[in-house]
Amino acid sequence: MNLQPLLDALDLQADAARALADDLQARLREAETHLERLAITRTTVTDLADRLPAVAPDLPEHPDYPRILAAFNHATGPLRAKDVCEALGHELQPKNVEGTRAKLKRLVKLGVLTEADVGSFTRKQQPTDHRDQQL
């Protein structure tokens, strides 16, 4: 019996398997390189994002919102809805106080204010980057 055709077929199969393995190894190296680059990019973007100034959210279209923020910029502590009403020059009527409270709650949802205690609002503190401070 002539085994040569069978051995030749096996050699062809082995050559094809080696070529496939070489191709897979090359593709694996490319994928690993791509993953390394993505990790470096993520680190770079994260480092740079920490240095960017915080972007103020878009305020609702009402003239009271910039005035409310101005009141908090001048405040030395937390403000209540009544305090903000007075700062805006609104009469201290229940409808005005409740309307102002609703605006303050909306600013909390937008991430501009925080509600320290129930009904007591302050500006949200921006995170500080300690890497830029001198020791």
Side-chain angles (χ1 to χ4, degrees):
M1 173 171 177
N2 186 4
L3 294 178
Q4 195 57 44
L6 182 57
L7 294 174
D8 290 342
L10 287 173
D11 286 341
L12 286 174
Q13 290 293 319
D15 290 344
R18 275 190 217 90
L20 178 60
D22 290 344
D23 183 51
L24 290 175
Q25 286 177 348
R27 292 178 67 183
L28 180 59
R29 281 191 299 273
E30 287 175 17
E32 288 172 342
T33 300
H34 187 65
L35 286 170
E36 288 173 7
R37 289 178 179 162
L38 288 172
I40 292 168
T41 301
R42 176 180 292 277
T43 301
T44 303
V45 168
T46 302
D47 288 347
L48 291 175
D50 290 343
R51 296 171 189 260
L52 293 175
V55 176
D58 292 332
L59 294 177
E61 297 273 335
H62 191 281
D64 278 352
Y65 285 99
R67 296 174 59 215
I68 289 170
L69 293 181
F72 277 95
N73 287 339
H74 298 317
T76 58
L79 296 176
R80 302 186 74 69
K82 278 184 167 184
D83 303 324
V84 176
C85 271
E86 287 178 343
L88 297 177
H90 297 320
E91 293 182 36
L92 292 180
Q93 296 177 353
K95 68 176 185 172
N96 293 338
V97 174
E98 289 308 313
T100 300
R101 186 181 333 280
K103 289 179 179 87
L104 295 173
K105 295 271 189 181
R106 190 163 188 196
L107 289 172
V108 169
K109 285 184 181 180
L110 289 172
V112 177
L113 299 179
T114 58
E115 193 168 5
D117 294 315
V118 177
S120 180
F121 300 88
T122 61
R123 284 298 295 252
K124 189 169 188 175
Q125 297 297 315
Q126 298 298 323
T128 57
D129 189 349
H130 299 289
R131 294 176 295 184
D132 293 337
Q133 295 176 353
Q134 296 286 332
L135 296 178

